[in-house]
Amino acid sequence: MKKNSVPNMPVSERASIAQAPSNLKSLPPTPRNFRNVSADIKKVAVTMPERDAAGQKNAQLIEFNQTLPLESIIQGICAEWNLEDISSYALRFNETNQKMYITEKNRKDIQNGQVLNLTLSAGRTAKAIKQALSGSRLEDKNSALRSLSFLSSDITFSEEFVKIQGHILLIDIVTGGNYKGDPLSYTLKSFVSIMEHGIVSWEILDQDFIRKVAECVNVSANNLDTQCLQSALDILESVVLYCSGKQNVIEQVVTPINVIPHLESKSQDVQKNAIALINALFTKADESKRKKIAESLQSQKMRNNILSNVIRGGTNVGSGMAHELYVLQTLLLNLNEDRMRKGVDIHDPAINREIEELRRIAFDVEGDPNINTVRKSQNSSKEYKKLGFENANPIEDFVAAPPGILALDVMLYFARNHGENYVKVVLENCTREDDHDCPFVQASKMLTKILCEILKVGEPPSDDGETYYIMFFTHDKPFEEFFCICIQLLNKTWREMKATSDDFQKVLDVVREQIVRVLDTSPTSFEAFRSKINTLTYAQINRLWETERLVKEGQGAQLKPIIELREQIKPEMMDLIKQQRLKYLTSGSRFAKYTKTGRIKDKFWCWRLAPNYKALHYGDCGESENLSLDDLPNKLPLSDIRKLLVGKDCPHINTVKNRSKLPSSNTAFSIQCDLDTDPICFMASSENEFDMWTDGLNSLLGNEMTSGQVGKDLETLLSMEIKMRMLDTEGVPIPAEAPPIPPPPANYNFTYLNL
């Protein structure tokens, strides 16, 4: 901001109004013990703009002690420059993005090396500006307004200005209507800044002021002043939201139609404030006016205006504009709330006619809603059942709310506007078996409810929401078009999952996931949404869920506390695996009989582990027999076993000449007893049986279980046990490192209270 002066004002007062220059070129060197100074001491420089204006370019390098009262520090600075009337001075920041007066609240923001300005106090400056605005000289007024537009952003100054009724003076200036151009722009900007501090209630505004501000919005595009228009839109929005009974005054002068042309402005701030005003008018309007506003907002012209001038592909939209677009979209979607929360009147003949139209389009005229020739169905009740109605009287299906009448609305829109696809969905389900059909009506009701939940229909806009979908600004019936795509998706997913009536909720969960994931990609049109969601199949959703689960578990597994917990419970899990192997051995297995020279034709024997784990019982059996322990006459004490051989180390593998007649050596194992006796040879029927017997025998012999299945079982058990133990920590972040143990106390002289 350029430095300005107000004639007939003291030099010191004029300098305090203008922005202080940052012309201090160098500071005295920092002392060597600078880093050792207390944290409450800040090394700063203090300049005084009016001394610079008088040619006395000097500054004070002081130690700003945060423990001392601010008044004492200012007193010391004034004393150094021989300034009297200390109460008339104050300190201000002199940073590019920080020009506020320094108070007891914000003094903590002072940092080492900053340059502060000693200026006239906020109270004295406010009086000087009000005096200039009340004077007769136009030059003084313009200069004061320019300074006011800068200073009013500081709450300290604004509080002083309001104390002397300066804001009332601004209201009178606007109501008078004598200011145009820059002076009016400065006035409105200053007023907005003062009101944003929340010092004064918006209820103080009268109708004349509101009308004058509203007139600023109705100027033609060729004569508008950007800053003036931006401030006027801001004021009107606040009046609508915070002034009771004043909205009708604005509506007499300003309507959304008047505001729409300002969306073509090159200023994004003007565009943002224009949509904010439309949102405010929309929010406060009654039901009838809200529908009229919605019609104008959903017109082709308005949608094209937003798409071409505001959104521009979504690349140049700032957070403020994103929030306003989110609010506008939420308000438009919430027009469906009444229908969503309202059930049908079962005695309403219009509803019966609409339900009959659904049946007629599906079955009577081959899906063409434009054909007037209607044949009377021979069995309409059967056709209603095919459509998916649950009740004998179809109208009763729409009594429950949500989704209420809204479900019927979107179904009828689908049938009327996409008749071919509607008939295709209905007839496809009619040709399926009874337990595999997807009842259209029930699916539509549930889907409508899901869409309302995803889009948060019925919920007021949040203060920090910024999520909007460009495609909803491309159609005058966005919710209905959205439903038409999603109901076809549901039918497609049902087919991919080969679902039955018992899988209804599972299918809905998958469809919800498909919709949410594609919405997250911010499709720019309904065609883009349709294309993306049709490529996101059920199989892909399954893969994505599995990948995300593995990533989540993998990330948790890398944390040190989880690793330590796994090591701690690992022995317990290994013991479970051992017990499972031994239980398998006690249940017994039937093996083909082998000797070291090969298999004995048509001979089988059964082996079981004794319940006390001290011996193996065995005996001959038939090909399909599995003998009980009492039926096994032979016993091999475990103490007699010297060694377990597996794979190619087994004698019946190494000595057999015709190896092609043997199964894979991966399932061969042998029990070696005394060295002078032949080993007992086995060939497991499967790799799982081989793993169970070799692991079980190794554990009984005191050896490590070495099969590949051990590692898989251990990982599964550890993962399940970790999940069970971490249930109570769901949503609680786990630190990578344990918190440090505090140091021991200086002494152990604890005091005990006798209660």
Side-chain angles (χ1 to χ4, degrees):
M1 179 175 174
K2 297 180 180 180
K3 185 164 77 172
N4 299 280
S5 61
V6 180
N8 300 330
M9 294 177 64
V11 174
S12 60
E13 293 181 2
R14 295 200 303 270
S16 68
I17 294 176
Q19 179 181 349
S22 302
N23 56 4
L24 190 65
K25 295 183 178 180
S26 61
L27 297 176
T30 302
R32 293 183 178 180
N33 63 345
F34 174 75
R35 295 183 183 275
N36 298 325
V37 177
S38 169
D40 291 328
I41 304 298
K42 303 297 180 182
K43 299 285 188 175
V44 299
V46 180
T47 65
M48 193 171 181
E50 52 267 35
R51 293 177 66 87
D52 294 338
Q56 303 173 358
K57 295 184 178 181
N58 59 346
Q60 298 182 39
L61 182 63
I62 68 169
E63 292 184 348
F64 194 101
N65 192 337
Q66 293 283 18
T67 62
L68 295 178
L70 185 58
E71 185 179 354
S72 300
I73 296 174
I74 296 175
Q75 183 177 6
I77 297 172
C78 290
E80 183 68 22
W81 277 323
N82 298 319
L83 299 175
E84 300 179 354
D85 192 11
I86 298 171
S87 61
S88 297
Y89 294 95
L91 287 172
R92 278 175 56 193
F93 289 102
N94 190 29
E95 301 294 327
T96 303
N97 59 348
Q98 196 178 29
K99 300 288 184 180
M100 295 188 300
Y101 282 93
I102 297 174
T103 64
E104 293 291 349
K105 292 182 179 180
N106 64 17
R107 61 184 291 176
K108 64 181 182 299
D109 298 331
I110 297 175
Q111 302 297 325
N112 285 310
Q114 281 190 312
V115 178
L116 309 180
N117 285 341
L118 182 68
T119 66
L120 288 177
S121 66
R124 187 169 173 182
T125 303
K127 291 178 181 178
I129 289 179
K130 184 180 180 183
Q131 183 179 358
L133 293 177
S134 303
S136 58
R137 294 189 59 183
L138 182 60
E139 184 180 356
D140 290 353
K141 292 182 178 181
N142 291 342
S143 180
L145 285 172
R146 189 178 298 109
S147 300
L148 179 63
S149 67
F150 165 72
L151 291 170
S152 56
S153 61
D154 187 346
I155 187 172
T156 303
F157 170 82
S158 294
E159 287 175 341
E160 296 296 331
F161 194 67
V162 169
K163 283 181 182 178
I164 59 174
Q165 299 296 299
H167 62 296
I168 302 298
L169 181 58
L170 295 181
I171 293 174
D172 293 339
I173 290 174
V174 174
T175 305
N178 297 322
Y179 282 62
K180 305 293 181 182
D182 287 345
L184 178 59
S185 176
Y186 292 139
T187 303
L188 294 178
K189 180 182 178 182
S190 302
F191 185 77
V192 170
S193 297
I194 291 172
M195 298 301 289
E196 284 179 346
H197 295 306
I199 307 170
V200 183
S201 170
W202 286 93
E203 296 287 354
I204 66 170
L205 301 181
D206 57 21
Q207 295 185 5
D208 293 336
F209 175 85
I210 296 173
R211 286 195 180 94
K212 286 295 181 181
V213 175
E215 289 174 0
C216 298
V217 175
N218 288 338
V219 296
S220 64
N222 296 327
N223 299 325
L224 60 86
D225 177 274
T226 299
Q227 182 59 60
C228 181
L229 177 59
Q230 180 183 341
S231 300
L233 290 168
D234 202 343
I235 291 173
L236 293 181
E237 179 199 0
S238 298
V239 170
V240 173
L241 294 177
Y242 307 122
C243 287
S244 57
K246 303 290 177 65
Q247 182 179 348
N248 61 329
V249 180
I250 297 178
E251 291 175 345
Q252 293 172 4
V253 186
V254 177
T255 64
I257 297 177
N258 303 127
V259 180
I260 289 175
H262 296 310
L263 297 179
E264 300 176 7
S265 172
K266 295 181 180 179
S267 169
Q268 290 189 359
D269 289 331
V270 170
Q271 292 178 337
K272 176 177 69 67
N273 286 5
I275 294 183
L277 176 56
I278 293 173
N279 289 338
L281 291 169
F282 200 165
T283 302
K284 294 297 183 178
D286 57 31
E287 185 176 354
S288 60
K289 290 181 180 178
R290 193 179 298 123
K291 290 182 179 179
K292 291 181 180 179
I293 294 175
E295 290 176 1
S296 62
L297 293 179
Q298 292 178 321
S299 65
Q300 183 74 28
K301 181 180 179 181
M302 176 62 175
R303 290 187 283 107
N304 289 342
N305 207 329
I306 292 178
L307 289 171
S308 59
N309 297 313
V310 179
I311 296 178
R312 302 188 189 98
T315 56
N316 300 320
V317 177
S319 60
M321 178 63 81
H323 173 70
E324 297 303 336
L325 290 171
Y326 152 78
V327 173
L328 178 59
Q329 177 180 281
T330 302
L331 294 174
L332 289 172
L333 290 174
N334 279 353
L335 292 174
N336 298 296
E337 180 182 4
D338 291 342
R339 304 287 284 182
M340 178 189 72
R341 301 192 186 282
K342 181 181 179 182
V344 299
D345 179 2
I346 60 175
H347 303 295
D348 188 348
I351 299 296
N352 279 317
R353 287 194 296 270
E354 291 180 346
I355 293 175
E356 170 61 20
E357 186 177 355
L358 281 176
R359 187 204 60 78
R360 179 182 66 84
I361 295 174
F363 299 108
D364 287 359
V365 293
E366 299 181 354
D368 190 346
N370 298 316
I371 297 178
N372 295 321
T373 303
V374 180
R375 69 171 174 81
K376 183 65 177 177
S377 174
Q378 299 301 318
N379 195 344
S380 59
S381 60
K382 184 177 180 180
E383 290 175 348
Y384 282 134
K385 186 176 181 180
K386 287 182 178 180
L387 271 173
F389 285 97
E390 290 183 309
N391 295 282
N393 183 5
I395 197 172
E396 295 179 1
D397 279 50
F398 302 101
V399 172
I405 309 178
L406 182 60
L408 179 59
D409 292 342
V410 293
M411 290 163 59
L412 200 59
Y413 179 91
F414 183 37
R416 289 171 175 172
N417 296 275
H418 303 275
E420 184 178 347
N421 290 327
Y422 166 69
V423 173
K424 181 180 178 181
V425 170
V426 172
L427 295 185
E428 181 180 345
N429 285 291
C430 291
T431 58
R432 294 180 181 143
E433 297 178 10
D434 289 343
D435 58 339
H436 283 275
D437 67 329
C438 176
F440 174 74
V441 172
Q442 300 310 313
S444 297
K445 288 166 57 180
M446 295 181 184
L447 178 62
T448 304
K449 189 174 180 181
I450 288 175
L451 297 184
C452 289
E453 292 172 356
I454 292 175
L455 299 177
K456 299 182 178 179
V457 174
E459 296 183 19
S462 66
D463 294 335
D464 55 355
E466 295 182 8
T467 302
Y468 68 96
Y469 305 106
I470 298 176
M471 67 179 183
F472 284 105
F473 291 103
T474 64
H475 204 283
D476 60 336
K477 298 288 185 181
F479 186 84
E480 290 83 348
E481 283 294 313
F482 191 46
F483 169 84
C484 292
I485 297 174
C486 293
I487 190 62
Q488 295 176 73
L489 168 71
L490 190 151
N491 188 59
K492 173 176 172 286
T493 303
W494 184 283
R495 182 172 62 250
E496 291 173 350
M497 295 176 64
K498 299 178 181 178
T500 65
S501 55
D502 294 335
D503 301 322
F504 221 129
Q505 188 56 51
K506 184 178 180 181
V507 175
L508 292 173
D509 291 340
V510 173
V511 170
R512 178 193 289 269
E513 187 73 13
Q514 290 171 310
I515 295 171
V516 170
R517 285 182 180 272
V518 176
L519 284 178
D520 287 343
T521 66
S522 300
T524 56
S525 67
F526 281 110
E527 283 306 314
F529 176 78
R530 186 196 307 273
S531 176
K532 290 182 179 180
I533 207 162
N534 283 335
T535 60
L536 189 60
T537 62
Y538 166 63
Q540 286 180 298
I541 289 292
N542 259 345
R543 286 195 293 270
L544 288 170
W545 278 342
E546 181 65 16
T547 301
E548 290 170 357
R549 183 187 66 81
L550 293 175
V551 169
K552 184 177 180 180
E553 292 179 357
Q555 289 174 345
Q558 301 304 316
L559 296 175
K560 187 176 179 180
I562 302 299
I563 294 174
E564 292 177 351
L565 179 58
R566 286 172 64 91
E567 292 300 319
Q568 183 179 350
I569 64 177
K570 185 175 179 180
E572 182 181 347
M573 299 301 103
M574 288 298 295
D575 187 61
L576 284 176
I577 295 173
K578 177 182 176 181
Q579 294 300 322
Q580 189 257 354
R581 300 300 196 259
L582 297 180
K583 185 176 180 181
Y584 186 91
L585 267 60
T586 58
S587 64
S589 296
R590 183 180 61 255
F591 298 98
K593 210 165 187 180
Y594 279 83
T595 65
K596 66 178 182 179
T597 59
R599 178 174 178 176
I600 302 175
K601 186 178 180 180
D602 297 333
K603 293 294 183 180
F604 299 88
W605 52 1
C606 183
W607 286 74
R608 284 179 183 272
L609 176 65
N612 59 7
Y613 302 160
K614 292 185 178 181
L616 291 170
H617 295 253
Y618 63 96
D620 293 337
C621 65
E623 183 177 359
S624 59
E625 287 184 299
N626 193 4
L627 303 179
S628 65
L629 189 66
D630 295 336
D631 295 330
L632 298 175
N634 305 309
K635 181 170 68 172
L636 173 64
L638 291 176
S639 58
D640 292 347
I641 300 177
R642 297 290 178 263
K643 190 177 182 180
L644 177 67
L645 304 175
V646 297
K648 295 181 180 180
D649 294 334
C650 296
H652 60 299
I653 295 296
N654 289 326
T655 58
V656 174
K657 295 180 180 180
N658 190 0
R659 299 178 186 275
S660 62
K661 295 183 179 180
L662 282 176
S664 171
S665 60
N666 293 335
T667 61
F669 64 97
S670 301
I671 297 175
Q672 179 73 58
C673 296
D674 295 332
L675 296 177
D676 56 348
T677 61
D678 292 335
I680 304 172
C681 300
F682 299 89
M683 188 68 72
S685 60
S686 65
E687 291 187 5
N688 179 67
E689 188 175 60
F690 170 81
D691 290 341
M692 293 297 176
W693 273 90
T694 54
D695 285 342
L697 292 173
N698 274 322
S699 65
L700 291 170
L701 297 174
N703 301 328
E704 181 181 354
M705 294 184 291
T706 57
S707 75
Q709 189 62 35
V710 171
K712 296 178 182 178
D713 291 347
L714 177 61
E715 184 60 34
T716 300
L717 290 172
L718 284 174
S719 178
M720 292 178 61
E721 184 67 17
I722 291 292
K723 288 179 182 178
M724 293 294 292
R725 298 195 182 197
M726 300 296 290
L727 283 176
D728 292 338
T729 64
E730 184 70 26
V732 179
I734 301 174
E737 297 288 340
I741 299 175
N747 60 70
Y748 293 89
N749 298 328
F750 301 119
T751 300
Y752 295 91
L753 298 177
N754 294 325
L755 300 178

